[in-house]
Each structure stands twice: as structure tokens, then as C-alpha cells.
Amino acid sequence: MMEDITEKKKAQKKIEDREEKLSSLLNAMPEFVLFKNKRDKLIEMNDSARVLVGMKRESNLLSRKPMYNLSLISSPKDEIAWKQKGILQYEQNVTLPNGDVRTFEIVKAPQFSSLGERKYLVTIGRDITKRQEMEVELQETKEQLWALFTHSADAISILTLEGDLLKANPAFYYLYGFCDKDDINVFDDLAPLELHQETKQALQKVKNGEEVIDYQTLRRRKDGEVFDVSITFSPIQNKDGQVTGISAISRDIHERKKTEQLLRRSEKLSALGQLAAAVAHEVRNPITTVKGFTQFFQGKVESEYTDLMLSELDRVEIIINEFLTLAKPQAVHFKEEDVADVIHNILALVKTQAAMHSIEIQTCYQPAVLPIYCDSNQIKQVFLNILKNAIEAMPHGGMLRIQAREFSSYVEIEIEDDGIGISPERMRKLGEPFYSNKEKGTGLGLMVCYKIIEEHHGEIYIASEEGEGTTVTIRLPREK
């Protein structure tokens, strides 16, 4: 009898080809794969599994030769997978034949017949050691960045492209006076109205992918106070390079600005002092001669001319004397003085002028005796200049308040008037030589005040609002 088995052979060939492809696929996988039957016998494994258990590819699975990592082949987890009739996933440390310990993510998948009977169990394991190391490193980096973000002294914030706040660190809320529940927008809440256009231009650069570094500007706190800040804007980009947000790092530079201002003032004082030393002596001699001859001609020519000349010559002498005050160190005699006594002596000189302008003077000393370490003559000159300025700022009368308070290391004197005030433009130039609000002022008087207070290791602040008056605050040390 003869039987045509061509189709059977073809089908058998297809099965063999399919098994060969499946075997090639399994052996090409970096994950290890194990197959066990329902009686817990190992029936197949790929090359990656053979490496782990220390078996060569040609070895017989039924060989009794000892193998490494028997726990991969026979594990209590197998029965758990069979019983729960679903995929079981866990991690396990495996020692390689060379002694290295690696971490594997293992998946056990039981297969059942249509009747629910056990067929075979597939175990697949992936080496996740590098992934775990990267995750640990990523977590450490995340913790470091979070610590930097949280504890940074600079105000760090994340903004949308429209300027809405998404996230900020505690320093941001402290600097701007908001809380984390507030809805904050750069334009509505932080940037003064006159700086909106400038801020838009800065943010547009960031939207174009550029950085804006050390952008010095003004910002507004929640209570409305405006202060100097330096801001660095940086673009936040996604994986495609598109700008999706903006990071902003703000720093309060009020003290830096103050230091720069003091440095510029010191440089001006130095230059002015050098000029004064070179010119004052040479000018004073001819002025003395001219003044002497002018006085000689009094009564011989029109008095109108001689009086005018003498008045102007006196003014020149005043300027020269102020020059000399700035030019050379003055003989100072520091000793303990009572602020109340010093102010009382100066008020005796200005009370008449104040009464002529209908100005009432109020004083308040807390406590009654406020000792400071100073040269009384120089401090009197400071108070005299400031009080005269205050009186001249109130041509129609008003209230002049003088308060002195005691602190742990210094005494604070506050002189407040109800005068015409000073505009912001003029405030920026106060203390500069030859800049004055007065018609015939030289601007040297206030400059001398700054110099004297500086030599006393004190501080002087001027706050003013146009039409509301001016407050001068002076702090002087209590001890040497």
C-alpha cells in the first residue's frame, strides 16, 4: 500500500520552521525564559537562562550535573502562580557564575487548558540592575534639586508663558509677601504698571529660547512696596525643544544698590576733596583782597553795588568753607553726649526762624536721656542742616516732629516735616555736590551731613513723598 504524505511533510516542515524561528527568537532575547510542565519539570530554556544556571547550550536538561541558581528553576513562587491563576511579578537578586549579583524582575505566567487543568508555566526574567541604579541616582538627584529649590535663599518660581505662577519655593513667598494659596501673575501682582512693557519684552526673549540674565528691575510686594531685584529668566523646554514654561530666579538687591550708592558717594567725596584741596587755598587769597577793596569803597560808590558784591563774596566764602570741610579731616573729639541736649542746643538757634514761618516743633525722647558717642560740634552741624532744610520746606507753616529712641546698640533720631516733599527724580540725586532744591543752594550741606554720619559709623536715611513731607532718620552708635 502506498500513501501520499507530501502534505504531512509540508505541515511538519512548517512546524519545524516555526519552532526554529521561535527558538531563535527566544535565544536572541536578553531576558531569560524557562518552561516547566504541570509536573514541575523543566522542559525548555533559552540561552540567557542557560548562562544564569551555568549550563551549556548543548547540555541535556535532564543531566544530573549540578547547576547554579537552582532557585530560578525550582521556586516556591511557582506554586503561588499556579494557585492564583494569574501573572505573578516580583524582584529577585541572582548571583551570576562570575560572582556578580544582579537584580531581576521576574514574571511567572501559568497556562491552563480549556477545562482549567494545568498545562505549563512560563518564567521570564529581565535584568533591572542598571535601571535600579539609574532610579536611585535619579531619586538622589531629585532630592538634591528639591533641597536646593526649597532651601535656596533666592526666590525661585516656575511660570507659564502668560506669566502665571505654577510653582515657587518658600523664599519667593517670603520675598514678595504672598502665600502659596494666592493666584499670582507677573503683570497683575509683581511688575509695576510702568514696567509692564519692559517685562513683556524680557519674557518674549525667553519664549524665543533665550536666557535673560541679571535683569535688574523693580518689583512690587503684596503690600504695595516697590523694591530693587535682579531676575534671571530661563526657558523650560520639552523633549522636542519647544518652550513650555519659564523659570525665574529673583534676588533682592536693595542692599547691593545701597552699597553701590555709598561707593559712588564716597568716590564723589574723594574727587571733591581733591578738587577742594587744590582750589580752596588759591581762591581764598584773591577773594580776601577783593572783599577788602569792596569794603574800602563802601560809602564812596553806590551802596547797592557794594552790598551786592559783599553778599556774593560771603556766599563764595561759605562754599569754600564747605569745600574745606570735605577736603581735609576735621579735628574731632569723641565723647559721650546726650542726644536730647544736642538737639535742644540746636533748637535754640532755629526756633525764631520756625516761629516766623508758623511752624510748631514737637520733641519726644524715649527715654529722657539718650547717650551717644560722638563729636557734638559735628553732630550739631548735621542737625542744624537738616532742621533748616525742614523749616525751608514748610513756607506756609506746619508741624516739625523730632523723635529719638533707644535701641540695643544705637540711638535713632527721626526728623519729620509736613513740607512740600521731594519728587522721586530729586530723591535719587540727594547728596550729590552742586545739586540742591534751593534757589541758591550748593548741595554741599547734605553731602557734609553724609560724610559726618559716615565718620561716626552711623547711618542716615531720607524718605519723602511729594506733597506729603519728608522724614530723615539718623542712627548713631551708643558706644565707641
Side-chain angles (χ1 to χ4, degrees):
M1 292 177 66
M2 297 180 63
E3 181 182 357
D4 187 355
I5 58 172
T6 305
E7 294 300 324
K8 185 186 293 186
K9 285 286 185 179
K10 288 181 179 180
Q12 186 177 355
K13 177 64 174 171
K14 285 182 179 180
I15 292 173
E16 290 175 353
D17 290 344
R18 189 177 298 135
E19 288 180 349
E20 185 176 349
K21 289 179 180 178
L22 180 60
S23 177
S24 298
L25 176 63
L26 288 174
N27 289 325
M29 292 172 61
E31 296 86 359
F32 74 79
V33 181
L34 302 171
F35 290 90
K36 295 174 72 175
N37 62 20
K38 62 183 179 180
R39 288 181 290 274
D40 200 34
K41 297 295 182 181
L42 184 65
I43 57 176
E44 186 60 77
M45 67 171 65
N46 67 349
D47 288 348
S48 295
R50 292 174 188 274
V51 171
L52 288 178
V53 300
M55 179 185 291
K56 294 183 178 179
R57 185 172 185 179
E58 296 81 9
S59 299
N60 190 337
L61 292 177
L62 302 178
S63 172
R64 295 184 179 180
K65 184 179 179 181
M67 294 184 295
Y68 295 101
N69 299 318
L70 292 176
S71 61
L72 293 179
I73 299 174
S74 180
S75 170
K77 302 283 187 181
D78 294 352
E79 189 61 28
I80 296 175
W82 282 117
K83 287 182 177 180
Q84 74 179 24
K85 295 185 178 182
I87 293 175
L88 176 66
Q89 187 172 343
Y90 61 95
E91 293 180 5
Q92 180 177 332
N93 290 331
V94 177
T95 303
L96 303 185
N98 62 4
D100 290 345
V101 178
R102 313 289 287 183
T103 302
F104 281 79
E105 182 181 62
I106 298 176
V107 176
K108 290 186 178 294
Q111 303 296 317
F112 298 87
S113 67
S114 59
L115 299 176
E117 297 177 346
R118 296 183 183 185
K119 292 179 65 178
Y120 55 85
L121 179 68
V122 181
T123 301
I124 303 173
R126 176 184 293 115
D127 187 346
I128 61 170
T129 307
K130 287 186 178 180
R131 190 187 79 187
Q132 281 192 333
E133 290 173 353
M134 290 176 63
E135 287 176 351
V136 170
E137 185 177 347
L138 182 62
Q139 181 63 25
E140 290 177 352
T141 303
K142 182 180 178 181
E143 290 173 356
Q144 291 170 358
L145 289 174
W146 179 251
L148 178 64
F149 177 81
T150 304
H151 302 295
S152 173
D154 291 329
I156 304 174
S157 56
I158 308 298
L159 309 172
T160 66
L161 297 181
E162 291 73 35
D164 293 320
L165 181 70
L166 292 176
K167 195 175 188 63
N169 67 344
F172 174 90
Y173 294 110
Y174 176 79
L175 178 63
Y176 289 101
F178 290 89
C179 66
D180 54 6
K181 295 181 180 179
D182 292 328
D183 293 326
I184 303 171
N185 179 274
V186 169
F187 300 102
D188 297 336
D189 305 296
L190 303 181
L193 182 61
E194 63 273 15
L195 294 176
H196 279 193
Q197 188 59 37
E198 183 181 300
T199 304
K200 283 181 182 178
Q201 292 173 356
L203 294 185
Q204 187 58 49
K205 288 184 179 180
V206 183
K207 293 177 185 178
N208 294 336
E210 303 177 37
E211 275 192 316
V212 178
I213 300 174
D214 195 21
Y215 163 52
Q216 296 188 19
T217 183
L218 296 174
R219 282 294 178 262
R220 187 177 61 245
R221 291 190 174 93
K222 187 176 182 179
D223 61 7
E225 179 188 355
V226 176
F227 62 105
D228 293 292
V229 292
S230 168
I231 305 177
T232 295
F233 290 116
S234 302
I236 299 174
Q237 299 174 325
N238 60 17
K239 62 180 181 180
D240 299 322
Q242 296 176 329
V243 178
T244 58
I246 299 170
S247 73
I249 302 177
S250 306
R251 177 175 297 175
D252 187 350
I253 58 171
H254 171 73
E255 290 300 323
R256 189 172 89 186
K257 286 279 190 180
K258 179 182 172 183
T259 302
E260 291 173 354
Q261 184 180 8
L262 290 174
L263 180 60
R264 284 195 298 270
R265 183 174 292 144
S266 178
E267 291 172 348
K268 290 175 183 178
L269 280 170
S270 176
L272 192 58
Q274 294 175 13
L275 174 65
V279 173
H281 179 71
E282 298 299 327
V283 172
R284 178 172 280 178
N285 288 337
I287 288 296
T288 302
T289 303
V290 173
K291 188 173 183 179
F293 277 103
T294 303
Q295 291 171 339
F296 176 76
F297 283 112
Q298 273 187 310
K300 298 181 181 180
V301 296
E302 290 287 344
S303 60
E304 179 184 353
Y305 302 130
T306 56
D307 291 345
L308 179 60
M309 291 174 67
L310 288 172
S311 173
E312 293 302 311
L313 288 170
D314 288 339
R315 184 163 175 267
V316 172
E317 282 190 331
I318 291 172
I319 295 173
I320 292 172
N321 289 333
E322 289 179 333
F323 258 135
L324 291 175
T325 300
L326 297 170
K328 62 183 180 181
Q330 304 296 304
V332 291
H333 303 283
F334 285 88
K335 63 178 182 178
E336 190 175 278
E337 298 281 354
D338 180 14
V339 168
D341 288 342
V342 175
I343 295 175
H344 179 74
N345 292 335
I346 296 301
L347 289 179
L349 301 176
V350 300
K351 274 186 176 179
T352 304
Q353 184 182 358
M356 291 174 60
H357 289 83
S358 301
I359 296 172
E360 182 182 347
I361 300 176
Q362 287 183 349
T363 58
C364 178
Y365 308 112
Q366 297 175 346
V369 177
L370 296 163
I372 59 172
Y373 192 75
C374 69
D375 180 297
S376 62
N377 289 328
Q378 288 197 345
I379 294 301
K380 284 178 183 178
Q381 184 177 355
V382 172
F383 288 151
L384 182 60
N385 276 334
I386 293 173
L387 289 172
K388 287 177 66 177
N389 287 342
I391 291 171
E392 291 172 4
M394 294 188 287
H396 305 296
M399 182 69 71
L400 178 58
R401 289 168 288 273
I402 303 171
Q403 299 182 63
R405 293 180 289 269
E406 184 180 48
F407 292 88
S408 57
S409 60
Y410 63 88
V411 171
E412 182 179 89
I413 304 98
E414 191 176 271
I415 301 172
E416 182 183 2
D417 66 60
D418 296 333
I420 58 176
I422 308 170
S423 66
E425 294 76 17
R426 290 184 171 183
M427 277 289 293
R428 286 192 286 268
K429 296 183 179 181
L430 283 183
E432 294 186 5
F434 308 116
Y435 180 82
S436 175
N437 293 333
K438 305 173 188 176
E439 184 180 350
K440 293 188 177 181
T442 62
L444 297 176
L446 193 55
M447 200 169 191
V448 169
C449 292
Y450 279 117
K451 183 174 186 292
I452 291 173
I453 297 300
E454 183 181 343
E455 289 175 348
H456 280 70
H457 304 289
E459 298 174 330
I460 181 169
Y461 306 98
I462 300 177
S464 184
E465 188 173 344
E466 203 166 8
E468 298 294 331
T470 302
T471 301
V472 179
T473 304
I474 300 171
R475 291 175 181 170
L476 293 169
R478 297 178 57 188
E479 299 177 358
K480 184 176 181 180

